[in-house]
Amino acid sequence: MDTFMEQTTDTEDPFDDAVKPPAGDGSAKEPSFMCMFNYAFPTLGQMGYTFHKIMAMQNRTHLFSVYYNTSGKARIIRWDRAVILVSESFQMNVPDSPLAEFFYRYSRVSREVAGHDTTIHAARPDEIAQAEAHFQDFEKERTIYQCPAQLEPIKDKKFSVDDYLAIEVPQNGEKPRTVIAKKLKLEIEDPLSRATRGYRVYDPADGRMGYLKDSWPVKSLAGHECEVLKDLRKHNVPHVPTLICGGPIERQSSICPSEVSEEWNKGCRKFDPRMHQRFLVREIGFHLAEPLEPTPQSQSRDLIARLKEALIAHRDAWKMDILHRDISDGNVLHYKHCDKPGDTATVTALLLDWDLAKRKGQEQKRRERTGTWFFHSINLLSTSMNPQCELDDLESFVWLVVYLFLRFLRRTTHGKNSGAYTKWLIDSIFDEATFNPVLRRWVGGDKKQLLVANLHGDIKILGKSTIEFSNNSAAGSCFTRLLAEINELKNARDEDDTYILGNHDRFIAFLDQVIASSDWPTNDVLVDQCPDGRALPHSSVNQSQSHKQQMYKSRELKLAQVSQSMRTSSGRGQMRSGEDADLDLDPRPAQRTRSS
């Protein structure tokens, strides 16, 4: 689908051209250009849903659509990753209608102007044959080779070119580097905001596999993660991704029109434009619960060993005054690597997603909260307005341990190991959130506080049962001790050498003791207690998943209008060449966005 048209069977318009323009930056509560009435929500919701699906399934930079109703009134709408342009209403069933000129021009523009990402195209058959040999080897061995692997192309099998993509990666002003990827089978969860995609790719330039991250960060942060990764590698920080190349993509950004402050703009006047970026790293990580060794001695102990390695990476980055700020189960992975095929492979941790990292002393908004809600510290979830610091990240490591243990280790809780019970248990602790009307933001952490204050389980949270792990006393003692440390340190916000969580080195030394314990079971495996995939963490930083879904379903979209995107001359609608303007489509209020 290249574009779409939305028709309503009534004469009501979901937008109001007669509303007065907002004052200032549009933050005041004033009449909205978007009609906030019941009749408008189905139309706005359907258009938003169609836009969501197209942008999620296709490689697009922006999208055009047309809205019209039975009265013959129509509007032209331009959507992108951050903002929307809505034209003023015009009559479509008259001679010289602007709609006819729009479709005439649209039929003649290039794919780039129409909104297609021209840096992605179909791979050639010879590229596919060579790439598939590496894809199959990786699926079998799950190993990243430090040296180029000489694998024979697969020539005795026909591949569908529709299943493979050739993707261009920026390379410091030089000719883009082209990698081969398989098309994603699943659509991205949220095409708004960052709209992050990840691909396992084959890199023909050096004959190895790699990982490609594709996202739309706020324009001021485009290229930020690449610079952080370069600095980390320059200072030999271990267990972080190795950057090959990448950066912002030229001519691919959301639009912030100069006319946004004009008096006739009847919508939002303050935008956070986004820019497309793409970069390639060498390592491909797997979830910590996914075994990479055929016969692991103790997966639960290996899990703690990987977390310790990630903590070492976090410590060494903090020595460089870089704070990660997004510790989660999706950002602490492990991977297997060796020099070349046939060599003995080693499994190590990987701390990735440094896009939200900040340097020590860098200005941080007091209302700012970044990262993953599930793993926020009690301090960040509470009504406290303290800036995020290294102690918050250390506590996030503890909540990561708690989450992984509860989800993947069997418990002796009176037979309550069902997926439904585990989901309820995890949601009760990690997904609690209420909206504070005074602070105008989501707060939580009460259930976490109850848990650390009552290590044997609170009746309202744990169903009158204690948390004990089956035949795994080492995990149980680690679990209890770390929660006790949070309780003792909850009021201390400065480094304190008397507590495990007071600094990195004491935390790492404690994990060393835990790993060296003889109480770990042998030949144990991690088993997902939520096999249906429930109780998964989400990346929304200032609200729980249930609240996020409710707000998106209600279609609380902040729409703004640039009402003179169509100008008339001699009775004929004239579309200004190259005219683009924006509306904010983030269903969350600005203070609840994940981006800093």
Side-chain angles (χ1 to χ4, degrees), residues 405-503:
F405 277 14
L406 290 179
R407 177 155 187 176
F408 296 102
L409 298 186
R410 293 192 62 84
R411 303 177 306 278
T412 56
T413 49
H414 307 290
K416 294 181 178 179
N417 276 306
S418 68
Y421 176 75
T422 300
K423 179 186 183 302
W424 169 78
L425 179 64
I426 292 177
D427 283 349
S428 297
I429 298 172
F430 293 93
D431 205 26
E432 172 227 357
T434 55
F435 187 74
N436 187 310
V438 177
L439 298 177
R440 294 190 58 77
R441 75 179 203 165
W442 295 92
V443 297
D446 291 343
K447 299 295 177 62
K448 286 183 176 180
Q449 184 60 60
L450 285 173
L451 181 63
V452 301
N454 183 2
L455 298 181
H456 296 293
D458 182 84
I459 292 177
K460 293 182 180 179
I461 301 177
L462 305 176
K464 300 182 180 180
S465 61
T466 59
I467 296 180
E468 297 176 357
F469 300 102
S470 304
N471 302 317
N472 201 333
S473 59
S477 60
C478 174
F479 183 91
T480 305
R481 178 66 184 280
L482 288 176
L483 289 177
E485 285 290 323
I486 293 178
N487 192 43
E488 294 177 10
L489 196 62
K490 62 183 180 181
N491 295 320
R493 302 312 299 166
D494 298 319
E495 289 193 7
D496 190 331
D497 288 344
T498 63
Y499 297 107
I500 290 174
L501 301 183
N503 61 44

Side-chain angles (χ1 to χ4, degrees), residues 196-487:
T196 302
R197 285 183 168 100
Y199 300 87
R200 295 173 183 173
V201 300
Y202 167 65
D203 182 8
D206 67 0
R208 287 186 285 176
M209 293 288 291
Y211 183 80
L212 182 71
K213 181 176 178 180
D214 182 293
S215 62
W216 287 77
V218 175
K219 198 169 185 177
S220 60
L221 295 179
H224 169 70
E225 187 170 4
C226 293
E227 294 302 320
V228 171
L229 291 178
K230 289 178 183 177
D231 287 348
L232 294 176
R233 277 297 177 180
K234 180 179 178 181
H235 291 83
N236 298 317
V237 176
H239 312 302
V240 297
T242 304
L243 179 69
I244 304 302
C245 63
I249 301 175
E250 295 183 1
R251 302 178 63 181
Q252 291 195 8
S253 62
S254 61
I255 305 300
C256 188
S258 58
E259 297 91 342
V260 71
S261 59
E262 294 288 345
E263 182 178 353
W264 43 259
N265 175 20
K266 298 179 180 179
C268 297
R269 300 197 169 202
K270 187 177 181 179
F271 305 102
D272 288 322
R274 297 185 176 274
M275 188 165 191
H276 197 185
Q277 76 170 9
R278 191 179 290 146
F279 64 87
L280 175 68
V281 298
R282 178 58 56 221
E283 297 81 5
I284 302 177
F286 293 85
H287 194 278
L288 292 176
E290 192 169 351
L292 297 182
E293 298 288 354
T295 55
Q297 292 185 348
S298 175
Q299 262 195 273
S300 52
R301 181 175 61 185
D302 291 345
L303 187 150
I304 295 296
R306 301 291 84 79
L307 289 173
K308 187 202 81 170
E309 292 170 347
L311 189 59
I312 291 173
H314 191 277
R315 177 199 63 189
D316 290 356
W318 181 237
K319 289 180 179 179
M320 298 171 52
D321 296 334
I322 297 175
L323 185 64
H324 188 278
R325 304 200 308 163
D326 190 12
I327 303 302
S328 70
D329 72 323
N331 292 342
V332 179
L333 307 179
H334 62 169
Y335 74 106
K336 188 165 63 168
H337 57 95
C338 66
D339 285 339
K340 59 182 182 298
D343 288 357
T344 302
T346 303
V347 177
T348 54
L350 190 65
L351 180 59
L352 67 158
D353 274 6
W354 293 82
D355 52 339
L356 297 179
K358 276 199 171 182
R359 299 182 186 274
K360 188 176 181 179
Q362 187 176 352
E363 183 180 358
Q364 185 176 167
K365 300 175 184 177
R366 288 179 60 82
R367 296 178 65 89
E368 181 183 49
R369 236 179 344 200
T370 65
T372 306
W373 181 272
F374 265 46
F375 306 106
H376 273 326
S377 69
I378 295 174
N379 171 64
L380 288 180
L381 292 175
S382 70
T383 56
S384 169
M385 302 293 284
N386 293 324
Q388 190 167 346
C389 68
E390 69 276 13
L391 295 181
D392 294 307
D393 271 19
L394 292 180
E395 186 176 329
S396 292
F397 273 102
V398 175
W399 292 118
L400 178 55
V401 172
V402 172
Y403 171 81
L404 292 173
F405 277 14
L406 290 179
R407 177 155 187 176
F408 296 102
L409 298 186
R410 293 192 62 84
R411 303 177 306 278
T412 56
T413 49
H414 307 290
K416 294 181 178 179
N417 276 306
S418 68
Y421 176 75
T422 300
K423 179 186 183 302
W424 169 78
L425 179 64
I426 292 177
D427 283 349
S428 297
I429 298 172
F430 293 93
D431 205 26
E432 172 227 357
T434 55
F435 187 74
N436 187 310
V438 177
L439 298 177
R440 294 190 58 77
R441 75 179 203 165
W442 295 92
V443 297
D446 291 343
K447 299 295 177 62
K448 286 183 176 180
Q449 184 60 60
L450 285 173
L451 181 63
V452 301
N454 183 2
L455 298 181
H456 296 293
D458 182 84
I459 292 177
K460 293 182 180 179
I461 301 177
L462 305 176
K464 300 182 180 180
S465 61
T466 59
I467 296 180
E468 297 176 357
F469 300 102
S470 304
N471 302 317
N472 201 333
S473 59
S477 60
C478 174
F479 183 91
T480 305
R481 178 66 184 280
L482 288 176
L483 289 177
E485 285 290 323
I486 293 178
N487 192 43

